[in-house]
Amino acid sequence: MNSSNTVNNSFIPFSDFEANARFIAYAVLLAFTVIGNIIVIESFIVVRTLRTPFNIFLLNLATVDLFTGIFRMGFYLFNIAYAKGFEWPFSPALCNFSGWALSIAFSANVHTLELMAIFRYIAVVHNNTYNLTQKRAVISIVCIWIYSNIIALLPIIGWNRYRYQANEIACLPDWYYESSYPLFVTICDVIIPLTILFYCYVAIYITMKKTSRRFRDISNQGMDIALQQISKREARVTRAMFLVFVAFLICIVPYAVCVFILFSIFHIWVGRDMAFLTGYFVNLNSAINPILYGFLYCRFRKAYYYTACLWWRKLSSIFTILSSLHHRHNKVRLVKDCDGDFNRSRGTEIISMNHHDQAVIQEVD
């Protein structure tokens, strides 16, 4: 084992049963994550009605989740398969790359949800529905990725370092090396974003309650029906975004408490089974987000159905082409076999005729 690349030298390798169970669990999760988020991205490509400013943030979440599935879960599966979690089986450069990818995915996910809440807060509380355009959404997402890259590169350029955490089976910042960087990440990527998210959604909830009472009074008077419908649509969008945030919160809070607070600050380790469960819940969020989009948004359900129909047509055409090629190949082979049989039968007749002619010639002689 490369001790320079591993933190916990007292780690006991998994038994065959533990390794197989964890491998199967993450393989299933990886399949759902990759397929689900590819469907989301494909839906944005083929269905133009999904390309609204707010949905661009959902597209970014799908990209981050796909990023998480490929790198976080992919490295996990390779590690379980080759080393049973005992050591990092690849080079130190790949350990740095893995830690960089995980840090980017986590930071980009949190701050995308944060900006979604901020823009909804401006739209609902301050009644400014035109504050978000596609250009502003794209610029905001670019800023998120730049910030996440900076945060992820800090351990590589000297502030802390990425080392293999055997209990989590991942390359992460070295919590034992020094505590300033973990504390910085905890404040910037956990405490501040979650505080802003809570404040925005509480303010949105209070405003929506007041608005619903006002429109209830207006509807009793038979006035501003169109305005009331707009308010209901905004409420549905806000409710859906809030549920996406709640799902993220349920998945991330146990991991944040165990790793960012108990382990990195107080150096209290909760055990590798708890680390596995909390880490699995973090990655589970990447798999359930596409399901939530389809469940909460009618447009996404229709886009999923349309995308599935396109995929089915493509697969059907591919199967049809392969079937026709196979049928043509069998037909050609059948013709060749028939020709071969015919030639062999003719050869036998010629040989028998030659023997007969020779016998006749001998009799004449």
Side-chain angles (χ1 to χ4, degrees), residues 80-101:
I80 287 291
Y82 286 103
K84 293 186 178 180
F86 183 62
E87 62 180 350
W88 180 252
F90 310 108
S91 65
L94 270 180
C95 184
N96 284 332
F97 174 78
S98 176
W100 169 83

Side-chain angles (χ1 to χ4, degrees), residues 58-278:
L58 296 181
L59 175 62
N60 189 53
L61 281 180
T63 305
V64 172
D65 290 336
L66 183 62
F67 196 78
T68 301
I70 293 173
F71 292 107
R72 171 69 173 97
M73 302 178 199
F75 277 121
Y76 188 101
L77 290 176
F78 275 112
N79 199 323
I80 287 291
Y82 286 103
K84 293 186 178 180
F86 183 62
E87 62 180 350
W88 180 252
F90 310 108
S91 65
L94 270 180
C95 184
N96 284 332
F97 174 78
S98 176
W100 169 83
L102 297 185
S103 298
I104 282 184
F106 180 82
S107 181
N109 201 337
V110 172
H111 292 289
T112 300
L113 291 171
E114 179 188 10
L115 280 182
M116 289 169 65
I118 290 173
F119 281 115
R120 291 311 299 171
Y121 170 83
I122 296 172
V124 175
V125 176
H126 296 282
N127 197 22
N128 185 1
T129 57
Y130 301 101
N131 69 90
L132 181 61
T133 62
Q134 287 192 354
K135 183 178 179 180
R136 290 179 181 176
V138 171
I139 292 174
S140 300
I141 290 171
V142 170
C143 291
I144 288 173
W145 283 94
I146 292 174
Y147 167 81
S148 301
N149 262 290
I150 293 173
I151 293 294
L153 286 173
L154 289 177
I156 297 177
I157 63 178
W159 191 11
N160 205 288
R161 59 186 176 182
Y162 289 120
R163 297 191 73 185
Y164 178 64
Q165 309 285 344
N167 285 293
E168 294 191 62
I169 314 181
C171 286
L172 298 169
D174 190 352
W175 312 120
Y176 288 111
Y177 184 62
E178 57 87 34
S179 59
S180 61
Y181 178 77
L183 182 61
F184 172 76
V185 172
T186 302
I187 294 173
C188 293
D189 286 350
V190 178
I191 296 176
I192 293 177
L194 291 183
T195 303
I196 293 174
L197 281 161
F198 273 114
Y199 173 79
C200 289
Y201 280 115
V202 168
I204 289 171
Y205 175 77
I206 294 172
T207 303
M208 289 177 63
K209 290 291 287 184
K210 294 179 180 178
T211 304
S212 63
R213 292 196 196 100
R214 185 170 67 252
F215 278 113
R216 194 181 302 117
D217 297 335
I218 292 175
S219 62
N220 292 332
Q221 300 174 5
M223 299 171 59
D224 291 336
I225 297 177
L227 191 61
Q228 187 177 3
Q229 291 177 348
I230 294 173
S231 177
K232 288 182 179 180
R233 185 174 65 248
E234 291 292 324
R236 284 196 301 269
V237 173
T238 304
R239 190 180 302 113
M241 293 174 61
F242 176 72
L243 290 176
V244 172
F245 162 65
V246 169
F248 171 79
L249 202 63
I250 293 173
C251 293
I252 200 66
V253 164
Y255 180 83
V257 171
C258 291
V259 174
F260 288 105
I261 298 177
L262 294 179
F263 187 40
S264 63
I265 297 177
F266 298 104
H267 302 294
I268 300 174
W269 184 240
V270 295
R272 70 181 186 182
D273 292 333
M274 182 61 70
F276 168 76
L277 289 176
T278 55

